Amino acid sequence: MTGNGDENFIAAVKPLIDAMGGEMLPPDEASPEDVVLAWQGVDVVAVRLPQLADSLDHILAAMERRQGRPLADLDRKSKQEVVRILEARGAFAVRHGVETVASALGVSRFTVYNYLNREKGA
């Protein structure tokens, strides 16, 4: 991470890495599971991707920030929309995904399944 161009590259990718819940580190500290990003043929930054369960927590926290309040405080229609968005992002493929989402929304697992089934039936 030496040149000014490298800093510009890092600044450009940082919002994406933050949105994914990733962590940036020097390329020489990368493990085999990390993704090393190169710019103009030079390794600039390594990205440590989050575990899937951590990603779901990160997505839920980001949704709360966008809503400006806890997801549990949303009305039913808004909660259904949250479930639809999370389903599209694969949240329910994660182990305990339904339970994690239900807890964040302040509803039961049964309610989350109802929201999912309602979407499929619509």
Side-chain angles (χ1 to χ4, degrees):
M1 295 189 237
T2 57
N4 193 31
D6 293 351
E7 292 170 12
N8 291 338
F9 177 79
I10 291 168
V13 298
K14 186 176 183 329
L16 176 62
I17 294 166
D18 289 346
M20 295 182 328
E23 174 188 353
M24 293 191 297
L25 53 147
D28 60 347
E29 293 180 19
S31 70
E33 297 81 31
D34 296 331
V35 178
V36 177
L37 302 178
W39 180 248
Q40 298 178 341
V42 178
D43 291 346
V44 176
V45 65
V47 179
R48 181 154 299 151
L49 299 173
Q51 298 297 314
L52 287 175
D54 295 337
S55 290
L56 180 53
D57 290 338
H58 190 79
I59 291 167
L60 289 166
M63 292 181 94
E64 277 196 348
R65 282 192 302 276
R66 260 182 258 142
Q67 295 289 334
R69 59 186 166 157
L71 297 177
D73 292 349
L74 299 176
D75 62 28
R76 188 180 61 148
K77 184 175 180 183
S78 297
K79 288 179 182 182
Q80 289 170 337
E81 178 67 10
V82 166
V83 168
R84 186 193 64 73
I85 292 167
L86 291 171
E87 182 181 28
R89 293 188 69 178
F92 302 110
V94 175
R95 186 171 186 213
H96 303 298
V98 171
E99 292 86 348
T100 301
V101 171
S103 177
L105 292 176
V107 299
S108 69
R109 289 181 8 234
F110 181 75
T111 298
V112 172
Y113 284 119
N114 278 342
Y115 291 169
L116 289 167
N117 290 333
R118 176 176 286 118
E119 188 65 31
K120 289 179 177 125

